[in-house]
Amino acid sequence: MTACRQDTHRFRIGVAQCSDDSWRHKMNDEILREAMFYDGVSVEIRSAADDNRKQAEDVHYFIDKGVDLLIISANEAAPMTPIVEEAYQKGIPVILVDRKILSDKYTAYIGADNYEIGRAVGNYIASTLKGKGNVVELTGLGGSTPAMERHQGFMAAISNFPDIKLIDKADAAWERAPAEVAMDSILHRHPKIDAVYAHNDRIAPGAYQAAKKAGREKEMIFVGIDALPGKGNGLELVLDSVLDATFIYPTNGDKVLQLAMNILEAKPYPRETVMNTAVVDRTNAHVMQLQTTHISELDQKIETLNGRIGGYLSRVATQQVVLYGGLVILLLVAGLLVVVYNSLRSKNRLNKELSEQKRQLEEQRDKLEEQRDQLIQLSHQLEEATHAKLVFFTNISHDFRTPLTLVADPVEHLLADKALSDDQHRMLLLVQRNVNILLRLVNQILDFRKYENGKMEYTPVPVDILSSFEGWNESFLAAARKKHIHFSFDNIPDTDFRTLADVEKLERIYFNLLSNAFKFTPENGKVSVRLSTLTKEDNRWIRFTVSNTGSMISAEHIRNIFDRFYKIDMHHAGSGIGLALVKAFVELHGGAISVESDEKQGTVFTVDLPLWTCVDETSSLDPPASSVSEVSPLNDALPVEEELEKNYDSSKPSVLIIDDNADIRSYVHGLLHTDYTVIEAVDGSEGIRKAMKYVPDLIISDVMMPGIDGIECCRRLKSELQTCHIPVILLTACSLDEQRIQGYDGGADSYISKPFSSQLLLARVRNLIDSHHRLKQFFGDGQTLAKEDVCDMDKDFVEKFKALIDAKMGDSGLNVEDLGKEMGLSRVQLYRKIKSLTNYSPNELLRIARLKKAASLLASSDMTVAEIGYEVGFSSPSYFAKCYKEQFGESPTDLLKRRKERISKV
């Protein structure tokens, strides 16, 4: 009873961490390890994963649980201040670690001096660059105190070096992925960057990776903060030459718990504890690694010893129980009975163990047999489901053919009408093209069903494969030009490619393989077809290969790629039986098909067909004229970007369409081009780039796209300063509520399901743009922005811009370029952002602000007109008077006269 009593906890400590990263893990381990040295101390750690709401819930959880002390690392200062104050006012001691709040209502603070760390980084970079160079800063979460203090310290340091310029700054939220995106954007804006200052060692490798992709990583130095040991952390990054330097940001979890125990045990403690830092570069990184490795080994030994001590204590407790039991037994019975009793007990225990092992083995055998039966049953069910699926598709395909025929024939008659307008003719061509696609898909399903039932007809006729392929290549010229794909056709000269084959099925094989190649090849990629002959087992064969760059199929997918209904990429449309049908048609000819894929050469499909001697020897078919034909003369293609820039009409609202389906883009373009300037993008990456460049009034995006899908594209656009204000409409063929919730969580303003009504789309576009235009009155009529009308990022942007104008309006040389640099945007981006939010250009806003300030001075000061003009930044009094009269309807001189007359009357 003594050995088995429950340990009582003297103190319960709650730790509310803001993040879940390697630095926090190290601190948490140190806190838990230090707690081992104190009896009756329990520590519970909860992480908020960079979510203010989640961290507030964690703090309330600890308050409700009645902990004796709270250790809090605030995610952001402002949102967490009231929660920390609430805990403090309830009498719970609060230790702030690493990050502070906007209040002094806490018990103690422990952490590094982020201002001094930022200043040390600034001095290091200035020294390394010898006092001259361009620097980019990637910050942590904007609302957190470490990010603000590290920036302030850095700026204080480089202010002593006039030739060190901070040319750009971006919020990377402490993480690698946002840093890589932000750095990629910065690299496009700045051709000359000498140094990158990252607020931690997760941001730094993201920036390095972006620079490496652009081939510019050797042009600049990379400096981070944390210097943690371990794989992928700062110390290893310095040793791997990814970072030039990193600064130690001590975790000191042991000191945090020591401070907590001093508070709980009413011992003296400092209210502010500041940890020191030091630079880690290539000169001392190896020594640091040796030290940290040794420390890690000691930590592991401590944990091992603690485990052994626990085992020893448990063993002692067990021994105490046995000892007390033996003494009681010795008092009750004789020694002989004790021996007999122990023997019987041992025998029973062994029998029970053997019985238990036998029972477990039998249960495992039963489970294995049950699993085997389930697998067999599932296999039968899958076969039945596949069969039912094929029967269903076959039946419904038959039903589709009649209405499709009734649609196709009237469309052909309407296309023959000469009275059609260009838009009507274009839309009818779109209908005709998609009806043909549906018919081809329906025929594929019917043909595959025929093949499975053994009813597929094989009708071989003499055919020249070379001539047929060259003719069929014409169908892919438009696709090659549209995507800027280099398409080449290669054959062996002076070779007879005549054989017996089913021409219709051969065409389906060729079209299916080539269509897939174009579908999965990115812009500026390559698609190649090679036709040749070979000898296998004394027989001649014809071989043709279809290869494309830019896509790689994994070994797992290659094993199943010819299975029916198998799809590699759910983002691409398709029935899933195209390649299965190709394989069936190839085998019908007595041939074979295979596929190879790797990152360097892309994907290559190889088809081998036996060469049968033609019965009709008199059918003379023309031999090939050349060995290689360039099918796609891409030099004649118009550069789309230059054409768009040339035709961009800024007088009309602009709409960006992001969709990988060219027909959808063409259809929506046709609906909008009369009233709007339309910009197109073929995928999410291009859509983000064009949104940054053109800053449109509205974005329409498909959800299911390869690479970056519509939901992720929307989320990224809403997180960027240049584009966060733009309304986004998502188009989707999926009606699941879960997907809609993801879209709205990502910042989408509207959802429209496919197929959609053109009137609905036009009305939604018009309403969203009109609603957005209502935000533009806040500068003109002096009203403030309503909370629901604009996002916090735009509100902060506007307030910062207004403050910048107020501070610098006296500078007559102030221009848009200067304002853009201060705001972290290019001249074009600043113009489009301000124009979109306010309906005024930056210059117009600057002039209005100057005139309003001048009007205030005229009404309240004794300054002359000329003095006031110079005071508010006008270069000449005459120009000031002209602008003032245009704005207020009277000259400043007239205003002063009226004022004097009014004073004299009084």
Side-chain angles (χ1 to χ4, degrees):
M1 292 173 62
T2 303
C4 297
R5 70 182 184 275
Q6 293 285 336
D7 289 336
T8 57
H9 295 299
R10 289 192 304 142
F11 300 115
R12 291 173 295 177
I13 299 175
V15 181
Q17 288 283 17
C18 59
S19 302
D20 187 18
D21 52 55
S22 54
W23 193 88
R24 302 286 166 190
H25 288 170
K26 187 171 185 294
M27 177 190 287
N28 294 342
D29 291 343
E30 291 170 349
I31 290 173
L32 294 174
R33 188 161 50 247
E34 185 67 20
M36 298 175 185
F37 296 98
Y38 297 93
D39 292 333
V41 176
S42 67
V43 178
E44 183 177 356
I45 301 174
R46 297 173 76 92
S47 174
D50 301 315
D51 187 337
N52 293 324
R53 181 186 58 79
K54 174 66 169 58
Q55 190 168 30
E57 292 176 355
D58 291 344
V59 173
H60 283 130
Y61 163 81
F62 287 128
I63 294 174
D64 295 340
K65 196 174 181 180
V67 296
D68 299 291
L69 182 139
L70 269 172
I71 298 173
I72 300 175
S73 180
N75 186 49
E76 290 186 274
M80 291 304 300
T81 297
I83 293 95
V84 174
E85 290 180 340
E86 178 185 346
Y88 182 78
Q89 289 168 353
K90 288 187 176 181
I92 301 175
V94 178
I95 298 177
L96 296 182
V97 179
D98 175 37
R99 304 183 182 186
K100 291 188 175 181
I101 60 173
L102 305 179
S103 168
D104 61 353
K105 292 184 178 180
Y106 57 86
T107 307
Y109 168 79
I110 181 170
D113 189 333
N114 286 288
Y115 180 89
E116 287 300 320
I117 288 178
R119 196 160 65 87
V121 173
N123 289 329
Y124 176 85
I125 290 177
S127 174
T128 304
L129 298 181
K130 298 181 179 179
K132 184 176 182 180
N134 295 332
V135 183
V136 167
E137 181 179 9
L138 297 177
T139 73
L141 196 63
S144 62
T145 55
M148 294 186 284
E149 292 172 357
R150 290 177 187 182
H151 170 71
Q152 293 166 358
F154 179 75
M155 294 304 295
I158 67 172
S159 64
N160 298 321
F161 302 90
D163 292 329
I164 298 292
K165 304 293 183 183
L166 179 63
I167 61 173
D168 213 330
K169 175 186 173 188
D171 188 336
W174 303 112
E175 295 299 334
R176 175 171 179 158
E180 188 170 347
V181 174
M183 187 63 185
D184 182 68
S185 177
I186 290 171
L187 289 169
H188 283 85
R189 294 197 297 270
H190 302 289
K192 175 63 174 173
I193 300 174
D194 298 298
V196 177
Y197 165 34
H199 276 202
N200 69 5
D201 290 340
R202 294 191 305 283
I203 296 175
Y208 177 86
Q209 189 63 29
K212 186 174 182 181
K213 288 181 180 178
R216 295 176 58 185
E217 76 279 7
K218 295 182 180 179
E219 301 175 8
M220 57 198 80
I221 64 172
F222 295 85
V223 179
I225 295 174
D226 280 350
L228 289 180
K231 185 171 180 58
N233 291 326
L235 185 58
E236 183 179 277
L237 293 174
V238 173
L239 291 170
D240 292 342
S241 298
V242 174
L243 299 184
D244 293 85
T246 181
F247 282 74
I248 296 174
Y249 193 67
T251 52
N252 289 319
D254 52 347
K255 289 184 171 54
V256 172
L257 194 78
Q258 291 170 13
L259 175 61
M261 293 307 300
N262 287 339
I263 294 172
L264 291 172
E265 294 175 349
K267 295 180 180 179
Y269 65 90
R271 192 166 190 267
E272 302 285 334
T273 304
V274 178
M275 306 300 177
N276 296 322
T277 185
V279 65
V280 177
D281 56 18
R282 294 184 182 90
T283 61
N284 60 357
H286 184 67
V287 175
M288 287 288 296
Q289 186 186 41
L290 293 176
Q291 292 176 343
T292 55
T293 301
H294 181 64
I295 292 171
S296 177
E297 291 174 353
L298 292 176
D299 289 341
Q300 291 176 359
K301 289 179 179 179
I302 290 172
E303 292 178 0
T304 302
L305 289 173
N306 183 69
R308 289 184 178 179
I309 290 170
Y312 293 151
L313 292 175
S314 176
R315 191 179 302 173
V316 168
T318 303
Q319 290 172 350
Q320 286 178 339
V321 172
V322 173
L323 178 60
Y324 293 146
L327 290 174
V328 171
I329 293 171
L330 286 174
L331 294 174
L332 297 175
V333 298
L336 181 60
L337 292 177
V338 171
V339 173
V340 173
Y341 173 75
N342 286 335
S343 299
L344 291 174
R345 188 175 62 174
S346 298
K347 180 180 178 182
N348 290 334
R349 186 177 67 250
L350 289 174
N351 288 335
K352 286 181 179 179
E353 289 177 356
L354 290 173
S355 300
E356 181 65 20
Q357 291 177 359
K358 180 180 178 182
R359 186 185 63 79
Q360 290 177 353
L361 288 173
E362 290 176 350
E363 287 180 354
Q364 290 178 357
R365 184 190 63 192
D366 294 340
K367 286 181 180 179
L368 289 173
E369 291 177 351
E370 183 180 352
Q371 290 175 354
R372 181 198 62 193
D373 295 339
Q374 288 176 350
L375 288 173
I376 294 173
Q377 184 179 1
L378 285 173
S379 176
H380 290 317
Q381 290 175 352
L382 181 61
E383 186 65 29
E384 291 173 1
T386 303
H387 178 73
K389 189 175 183 181
L390 276 175
V391 171
F392 169 75
F393 279 134
T394 303
N395 294 337
I396 201 170
S397 297
H398 279 291
D399 294 336
F400 280 159
R401 294 189 70 170
T402 299
L404 285 173
T405 304
L406 293 176
V407 172
D409 190 58
V411 168
E412 289 184 5
H413 282 82
L414 288 172
L415 283 170
D417 188 353
K418 303 298 184 182
L420 292 175
S421 67
D422 290 342
D423 282 345
Q424 290 171 334
H425 191 267
R426 179 177 54 79
M427 287 192 176
L428 284 173
L429 286 175
L430 181 64
V431 173
Q432 186 185 48
R433 183 162 62 251
N434 284 277
V435 166
N436 290 335
I437 291 173
L438 284 173
L439 280 171
R440 187 164 68 249
L441 292 174
V442 167
N443 289 335
Q444 274 194 174
I445 295 172
L446 295 176
D447 287 345
F448 192 77
R449 185 64 175 154
K450 287 180 183 177
Y451 175 78
E452 287 216 328
N453 292 335
K455 296 181 180 180
M456 177 65 72
E457 297 180 357
Y458 173 63
T459 311
V461 295
V463 59
D464 186 347
I465 292 182
L466 175 60
S467 299
S468 299
F469 282 11
E470 288 178 334
W472 296 335
N473 286 340
E474 298 294 328
S475 302
F476 295 93
L477 290 178
R481 284 193 293 269
K482 199 168 192 178
K483 292 182 68 176
H484 298 95
I485 291 175
H486 183 84
F487 178 28
S488 63
F489 181 74
D490 178 12
N491 65 87
I492 300 176
D494 303 323
T495 302
D496 187 1
F497 290 102
R498 292 179 297 177
T499 185
L500 291 175
D502 190 319
V503 178
E504 180 187 353
K505 294 173 180 57
L506 186 62
E507 179 184 18
R508 298 277 286 281
I509 294 170
Y510 192 71
F511 265 73
N512 230 317
L513 294 177
L514 214 50
S515 296
N516 279 345
F518 275 96
K519 181 192 297 184
F520 292 102
T521 301
E523 287 197 9
N524 301 313
K526 293 182 180 180
V527 174
S528 303
V529 178
R530 176 172 177 79
L531 183 61
S532 60
T533 60
L534 70 156
T535 301
K536 291 194 298 186
E537 298 177 356
D538 298 328
N539 294 320
R540 290 189 64 211
W541 292 66
I542 294 176
R543 168 175 288 180
F544 70 90
T545 60
V546 178
S547 61
N548 67 284
T549 60
S551 66
M552 203 240 345
I553 306 173
S554 66
E556 176 188 357
H557 290 311
I558 283 181
R559 288 195 297 269
N560 305 300
I561 197 169
F562 295 111
D563 294 347
R564 56 192 178 186
F565 303 119
Y566 187 80
K567 296 174 72 174
I568 296 174
D569 186 356
M570 297 305 295
H571 290 296
H572 284 91
S575 61
I577 65 171
L579 289 177
L581 197 60
V582 166
K583 184 173 186 291
F585 286 169
V586 170
E587 292 175 350
L588 204 61
H589 282 79
I593 183 171
S594 61
V595 60
E596 296 178 353
S597 186
D598 59 44
E599 293 182 356
K600 292 183 178 179
Q601 69 174 5
T603 302
V604 180
F605 283 88
T606 302
V607 177
D608 290 340
L609 300 174
L611 194 150
W612 305 105
T613 304
C614 298
V615 177
D616 186 6
E617 295 291 345
T618 61
S619 59
S620 176
L621 301 172
D622 295 333
S626 63
S627 61
V628 179
S629 60
E630 293 292 337
V631 183
S632 176
L634 295 179
N635 293 334
D636 298 334
L638 287 174
V640 178
E641 285 284 338
E642 293 180 8
E643 190 71 16
L644 180 58
E645 289 277 7
K646 185 170 65 176
N647 296 329
Y648 189 88
D649 185 358
S650 60
S651 64
K652 297 191 294 186
S654 58
V655 178
L656 171 61
I657 305 170
I658 309 173
D659 201 306
D660 60 327
N661 188 302
D663 287 338
I664 294 292
R665 295 199 308 273
S666 175
Y667 178 63
V668 178
H669 187 289
L671 294 175
L672 300 176
H673 77 279
T674 303
D675 300 317
Y676 306 94
T677 296
V678 181
I679 308 163
E680 296 184 25
V682 300
D683 55 34
S685 299
E686 184 181 354
I688 293 173
R689 180 174 62 81
K690 288 191 174 180
M692 294 284 191
K693 182 174 183 180
Y694 295 103
V695 192
D697 293 280
L698 184 132
I699 296 173
I700 301 173
S701 175
D702 187 23
V703 172
M704 300 297 286
M705 293 186 293
I708 299 177
D709 62 21
I711 294 174
E712 175 63 15
C713 178
C714 176
R715 187 189 66 77
R716 293 192 186 183
L717 289 171
K718 291 294 185 179
S719 65
E720 288 289 340
L721 176 62
Q722 299 96 312
T723 56
C724 62
H725 65 281
I726 303 173
V728 178
I729 297 176
L730 293 180
L731 302 179
T732 179
C734 178
S735 60
L736 294 177
D737 288 340
E738 289 84 351
Q739 190 189 75
R740 291 176 180 268
I741 292 170
Q742 288 179 355
Y744 286 125
D745 285 344
D749 297 270
S750 182
Y751 241 107
I752 297 180
S753 298
K754 296 179 183 177
F756 54 83
S757 162
S758 60
Q759 296 302 317
L760 172 63
L761 179 64
L762 289 172
R764 198 71 191 102
V765 168
R766 183 170 58 253
N767 289 340
L768 282 174
I769 291 179
D770 290 346
S771 175
H772 186 64
H773 282 172
R774 288 197 294 271
L775 299 176
K776 299 182 177 181
Q777 63 182 352
F778 77 98
F779 254 118
D781 57 13
Q783 295 180 3
T784 57
L785 290 173
K787 184 176 181 181
E788 63 273 15
D789 288 336
V790 67
C791 68
D792 291 339
M793 188 179 294
D794 281 340
K795 290 174 68 176
D796 294 341
F797 174 82
V798 169
E799 294 302 326
K800 182 179 178 182
F801 187 74
K802 291 166 68 177
L804 180 62
I805 288 178
D806 290 341
K808 297 203 172 187
M809 73 166 58
D811 182 5
S812 60
L814 186 64
N815 55 36
V816 179
E817 284 81 1
D818 297 332
L819 293 171
K821 288 179 181 178
E822 292 287 342
M823 298 298 293
L825 300 174
S826 69
R827 180 182 60 81
V828 174
Q829 287 175 331
L830 179 66
Y831 176 85
R832 288 176 175 164
K833 179 78 175 178
I834 294 294
K835 187 75 173 177
S836 175
L837 282 173
T838 69
N839 218 20
Y840 293 104
S841 69
N843 279 330
E844 289 173 331
L845 287 178
L846 179 58
R847 185 172 67 253
I848 291 171
R850 282 171 168 167
L851 291 172
K852 286 185 177 181
K853 178 67 173 179
S856 175
L857 291 174
L858 285 169
S860 62
S861 72
D862 296 328
M863 299 169 66
T864 65
V865 172
E867 288 173 340
I868 291 174
Y870 290 128
E871 176 71 19
V872 298
F874 283 92
S875 57
S876 70
S878 59
Y879 180 61
F880 163 62
K882 175 179 176 294
C883 293
Y884 189 91
K885 188 170 184 179
E886 290 176 355
Q887 179 71 21
F888 298 107
E890 66 175 343
S891 67
T893 305
D894 294 338
L895 176 64
L896 288 177
K897 286 180 180 179
R898 286 195 296 102
R899 179 186 170 198
K900 290 179 180 179
E901 290 173 357
R902 188 167 59 251
I903 294 173
S904 63
K905 289 179 181 179
V906 174

